[in-house]
Amino acid sequence: MNKLLEIKGLTVTLPSKSDRKYAISDVSISVEKNEILCVVGESGSGKSVTAFTVMGIHDKRALTISKGEILFDGYDLTKIGEDQFRKFRGKKMAMIFQEPMTALNPVMKVGEQITEILEIHTDLGPSKRKSKAIEAMENVKLPDPEKIFHSYPHELSGGQRQRIMIAMALVLEPDLLIADEPTTALDVTTQATILELIKEIQVRRGMGVLFITHDFGVVADIADRVVVMQHGIVVEQDRVNQILAHPQHEYTKMLIGSVPSMVPPQKKSIDVQAVLELTEINKSFGKSSLFRKDRIVNAANKVSLKVAPGETLGIVGESGSGKSTVARCAIRLIEPDSGSILVKDIDIAKLRESGLRYLRREIQIVFQDPYRSLNPRRTVGQSIVEGPMNFGQTEEAAVRKAKELMEIVGLKPDTFNRFPHQFSGGQRQRICIARALAMEPSILIADEAVSALDVSVQAQVLELLENIKKQFSLAVLFITHDLRVAAQICDNIVVMKKGAVVEFGSTHEIYTQPKHTYTQALLQSAPGQKYF
Amino acid sequence: MRHWNIKTITRASCLAASLAIGAAVPVYAEKVMNVIPHADLKNLDPIWTTAYISRNHGYMIYDTLFAMDDSFSPQPQMVDTWSTSEDGLTWTFVLRDGLKFHDGASVTGEDVVASLQRWGKRDGMGQQLFKVITSLEASSANTVTMKLSQPYGLVLESIGKISSNVPFIMPKRVAETDAFEQITDYTGSGPFKFESDQWVPGSKVVYTKFDGYVPRSEPASAASGGKKALVDKIVWQYFPDNTTAMNALMAGEIDYFESPAPDLAPLLAADPNITVEVNDPLGNIGFARFNHLLPPFDDVEVRRAAMMAMKQEDYLAAAIGDPQFWKTCYSVFPCGTPLANDVGSDIMATGSIDAAKAALAKTDYDGTPVLIMQPTDVPVLSAFSLVTAEKLRNAGFEVNVEAMDWSTLTSRRALRDPVGEGGWNMFHTWWIGADVIDPMAIAFSGDPDAGWFGWPTDAELEEARGQFSKATSLEEKQEIGRKVQERLWAIGASGELGQFFTPVAYRNNVKGLIKSPVQFFWNMSVE
Amino acid sequence: MFVYTIKRALMTIPVILVVALFVFLLLRLSPGDPAAVIAGDYATAEDVARIREKLGLSEPIVVQFASWVGALLQGDFGTSIFSSKPVTELIKQRLEPTLLLASCTIIFSVIVAVPLGTIAAFKAGSWTDRTVMLFSVGGFSVPVFVLGYILIYVFSMNLRILPVQGYKSPFEFGMIPFLRHMILPTLTLSVIYIALLARMTRASVIEVLEEDYIRTARAKGLSETKILMRHALRNAAVPIVTVIGLGIALLIGGVVVTESVYNIPGLGRLVLDAVLARDYPIIQGLILFFSLVYVLLNLLIDLAYTFFDPRIKY
Amino acid sequence: MENHVESSAFDIAWKNRNVSIGLSVLLIIIVLALIGPIFTKDPFSLSPMSRLKPPGDFGLFGTDQLGRDVFSRVVNGGRISLTVGLSVAVFAILVGTILGLIAGYVRALDSIIMRVMDGLMAIPAILLAIAMISLSGASLATVIAAIVIPEVPRVVRLVRSVVLTVREEPYVEAAISVGTPVHLIMHRHILPNTIAALIVQATYICGSAMLTEAILGFLGAGIPPEIPSWGNIMSEGRTFFQLTPWIIFFPGIALAVTVLSVNIVGDGLRDTLDPRIARSLK
């Protein structure tokens, strides 16, 4: 065996007041030369702590290594001094991170950020450093590296930034690359190219890669071996094919089972009058001032769509495609520049807040971030009854109704008086759904409502949404970037790109016979299609 | 503006370095006296304003026809000889030879006439004098003739006035400026020249020696006698902060400190290099002014009751401190001057709360609150106000003290409106002794229309004051003085709070200080 | 950038107008009457009225404001009531000491405070941090004038190594006398500024040290010093520079006191004396001038952001 | 229940050593100032014959230039200085919060309010205060008003920025979409978010107001000097700084300790209430 990195019985302790004692406990993992080891798990599984500890950049004030060893290049990294450790970092082991925007120093030219690593670890002169950096940038297939060398991070696209991160990590040809969810923040098309790039370089260099992810689709595409972690413990590890085909541990099975299929189920078409109808909605941001006119973004460009009761209409698209703008126009959190929004045949596009108020109950929304969707200073009960009581319901009636709804969304009614921080992310999203339902709306907008949730929780919330749609005969406008989720839940789909609708059709049509090239590219980019 | 380029800075720093090392020793050491004046010179027209600092500035650069000697009698200054006609109605003044303005022109009778006329429009004594003047003209280049409608006893006292407004002689072109507008040409004929371009209002005034000045041959005596400029340059630097000023004097950065707070005297005196002394023999007279128009002080007995509570020792101790710098004085004319007397002074000398209480009980005082304006930026007056407040409260008055700064007080004291509408009942001030040396002082007026703030009304008093200008002998004047004082006490015109002296402090290398109620800088040298 | 500069410069106009109106109303609606002050002790009511007329104080208030603003637009700040000197000339005369005192203070404060704040941030929670922070808090707790007196007492009166007071222009007297006279006022004025800057630096650096790119820098193998110097400070620069700008107002306030204590003939004392003497044209002109300086400096600082942060583009 | 989050935050704040020490010191000072009149002489009573006496026979802290008892002036002065500090903080926060909420929520008024605030910010605070006081007459009320006015723009900016941030929060949008009227959104969702920042801001305003009061006194534009605020005692005593240092020393110490405690409490609160900074200190 050719072990590059060997973690033996590593235990990292959390500060005394935390809700659990260990961040990771007795973790033993090894990465070999010339392989990609994927560490997979949901939030709180300890996968990132493991990666950061190996790199020696974990938060040393909060986390302490209490047991175990990390063997690398003949040293136990838990025992060597900081100065020696520093010589490894960047040179022998390198790391790339989830969010390339924040991981790059915003006030430093990217070229400088790459040459900096050469400056620390080598004796090369400035011109040599630059040519080596350019070479590294060419290696990650960055176009016009000379120009990008002198760019600042904000001047690059997300994919380019991640390529810069990779170039930076690989410029000294380290033996070990640690990748912490490197594609999670990227659009699906970009994700595909970055994954391909990592794989290719790994093969070319014969490098060992420790790849952290929560996405089994990514695992299926990239991993040689897989480690599954849960609550800081390794529950299973094996070759990728073995894990995917024959998962042993219940948790692994559950994770794999939760990945939605790309094949949409057959659905019968809905043939009732639409309750929400958007016609030629236009919305642009940025002011055209006297002095310049170039900062205007057309977030929605002649968008038309309609949703009927009992229908789930998906809006899919990558970031910046304008899908959220459409949702926020539909619920009139923002006012469209032009176009009409018919809710039960009343045009609300230009209504003032006072006129709008009585239509508020018809249309409700669930947001992406369950942590910010509830006022932390108010009990969940208060949040749920707020709407009905605004419309004159008595407190008693509202509370009774709220408790019923809590039961429907799968929460115990006796948690009515608790505060949001006492709930998990999935539970909070259920509360948000209950809050929306309390208004007895006919239209529900779910704006990336499951994107922030772990896959297991995601599946449950999706199921809940499906159930209440049926139960209350709701028209659902479902906004997502996740093609797998869209495939499973939507009846019809609108594909958006740069503010405009590029394709519309039934889910089945879209997934089986995409017409627009963009739709085709999107579908091809979804990871893990071999298995799921 | 100056160009601040590298070159200048480099040059400046080179120069600095050489100066610091002491390599460049000037061939001729200019004699400079650094002075901290008692106030900031805000205004350069001593006719336009009565501010003492402007008067002192006037003495630096201007000369006068007559000037007071140290016994307060007028002596010729610019005048060489003068004569009076038999009937006392025609006065002829002949100017000295060699009088020159700073621009080189000779001083002529025309200049004198124009200057006196402008002064006559602003100064109280001047206005009185001009009431009896029928003509004033330059009969020749160096002669001025003044004709009067009736004999007037104070001709020389007026044109030889020592304090504001002093009839300084300016060039005709300057003196023709409207009396209510400020002059902009600062050409005088005095021993020092004003350096206009070096003046930094609020901070620094620079005077240089005027080489063309010919001093009289008599020795200097107060404002009169030979004025010799013994230094090349006098720099007035105004210090807003007394402690800093004291430190600067002790550190040798300053030569002369005109009015240190009396309380700092012991600290300064403890320094062997510094002399602290009282320069002004008359000192200042504390003054508690009632508003005679408004209740409760529209009642003479209430005023007199209040005066009984005023114990001079307490005022002076609180405001001045060290007893060597004050003394009680129960005359309305400064003690130690010819007219000082003790007629009717029992009322002021009472100084007893109990007596005041008893006296107040006999009046119709109904508890109307007394509004005292307290000028918080003038420590002495601020202290006076607080002492009065406490005394009156103890004597049974209702008292409100309203804090303000002196400039607010000066504008508010002119209001005759009721208290609720901006009016007032009392304020405190002081007069320099020289300003209240005789009954002509506006402080003693009994005419509510032409008189001073507070507006007492007493025809008898006015009558007596009117006599004074006609009196010619000292006995006559003293008699009128006693009459005026008797009336002033009888009507409870104002409380007199005693006499106090502000010391001057200077480094021992300063010589030639002239004893006088006004600060003069001629004959002073720095060794 | 150029367009932005013009635009921002234009935006200062309403701000300055607000200031002008506010100051004007404040002066006109207050009870003091400069005419009475000028007229002096012996003036009659007619004299005062006459002076009011001369000063234009008897005009309707709207007319007064209009004529003042009209004159301002022509660069005429008016003429001092007492000294009859144009306000612009008085400002010119007094500008140098104030400008140099403020500059010395800013330079000195930045030199002291930024390293202090950075060290405190880097060692957040340690004794070093606590000492620096205690000093900073302390700097906010002592009145400026008390500090001035103490410094004079110790350095000038007891040790006799520095002059008590005054200002020596470097262009006239050279650098060394200038600096000798500047040391104590600068120290006095700097304390509060250092306190402010050190706190802000600390807070900004702490915030920056939490950022992802610091972690990236660690992953690259950079030493902590290099991380601090290259990555943290440059990113913390914008808030620090902002505070330098906001502190200008604080500085102007401090200048008034410091100039009084050290007898420096600067703008601070000019305005204080003017207020006490009711010299309206000076008060109006100077408050306006200070506001203009403040607004322009902050505009300059906004433009400087582009230098520190390439993301900011105008 | 409403205050659950705040109260727990303040429990944490109290556990912060700086906060507890600072608050304890402040409490002692406040109590002393309040019960001062019971055990001290009349701070206004003059006795010109025993002026400028050193600490000892003529009182614990000696006497001032009018023979008043410095100890009783310092103890009673605490009440004035604290009144100034607290009232300025309260009024500035009150006015600033109202204006800030309006500016942050009513688009039409935003630019008007903010331009006026910019104008006020541009005038150096001390100058504005001196001008206001010396022109409108010195009294406790005018001094408080003069210190409040320059502080208001800072509070307005703070509140406005919180409003602008918070109104973008999903839970506020959720509240809008369930038809909650504006005043309830302000009251329930936006105002509570400003409280932590406002409390911290209030402590700083309180501290700096006490200092400003002292400086105004020094410049001759403060509360009527008869009233014994610490600033006044010092500014009246400053002429005698080298002669009778006790007049300036005792109120100086009192002021410095009070302002220091207030600022330390403010820092402590900021560290505990601002999670980002608190986190890095753990």
Side-chain angles (χ1 to χ4, degrees), chain A residues 15 18 64 70 137 208 225 335 358 489 502 526:
Chain A
S18 313
T64 30
I70 304 170
M137 288 161 77
R225 280 195 306 127
E335 189 179 313
Y358 286 91
I489 195 163
V502 297

Side-chain angles (χ1 to χ4, degrees), chain B residues 223-373:
Chain B
S224 71
K227 302 177 180 178
K228 296 192 190 77
L230 298 182
V231 289
D232 300 296
K233 196 159 139 187
I234 293 178
V235 182
W236 286 6
Q237 293 183 48
Y238 173 61
F239 278 54
D241 188 282
N242 232 308
T243 305
T244 308
M246 173 185 78
N247 287 334
L249 180 69
M250 299 205 311
E253 294 164 24
I254 288 293
D255 303 304
Y256 190 89
F257 185 4
E258 195 187 325
S259 64
D263 281 311
L264 297 181
L267 275 182
L268 285 163
D271 188 324
N273 299 314
I274 289 173
T275 308
V276 180
E277 64 184 10
V278 171
N279 192 32
D280 171 7
L282 296 186
N284 308 299
I285 313 296
F287 212 62
R289 189 61 159 174
F290 302 110
N291 184 344
H292 292 237
L293 302 181
L294 299 182
F297 291 135
D298 54 351
D299 178 345
V300 59
E301 289 313 318
V302 175
R303 294 196 292 270
R304 285 173 58 90
M307 283 161 70
M308 288 180 197
M310 297 176 182
K311 189 177 175 194
Q312 288 191 351
E313 288 89 339
D314 284 348
Y315 283 89
L316 294 164
I320 313 301
D322 194 335
Q324 65 164 314
F325 297 120
W326 55 263
K327 61 183 188 216
T328 57
C329 172
Y330 303 110
S331 162
V332 299
F333 308 107
C335 294
T337 62
L339 303 190
N341 66 81
D342 57 3
V343 175
S345 63
D346 307 354
I347 180 88
M348 200 64 234
T350 311
S352 154
I353 297 292
D354 294 334
K357 221 183 237 170
L360 186 65
K362 287 187 201 130
T363 69
D364 297 332
Y365 179 67
D366 56 358
T368 310
V370 173
L371 184 123
I372 302 178
M373 298 194 287

Side-chain angles (χ1 to χ4, degrees), chain B residues 413-465:
Chain B
R413 67 182 180 185
L415 298 178
R416 299 183 190 215
D417 304 323
V419 169
E421 294 162 31
W424 52 276
N425 294 119
M426 268 190 97
F427 72 90
H428 298 77
T429 187
W430 76 77
W431 299 91
I432 67 158
D435 276 341
V436 286
I437 204 164
D438 63 47
M440 296 306 287
I442 192 157
F444 303 140
S445 163
D447 172 1
D449 297 323
W452 204 60
F453 316 105
W455 312 286
T457 314
D458 191 58
E460 236 180 292
L461 172 62
E462 278 306 278
E463 157 105 49
R465 287 178 75 225

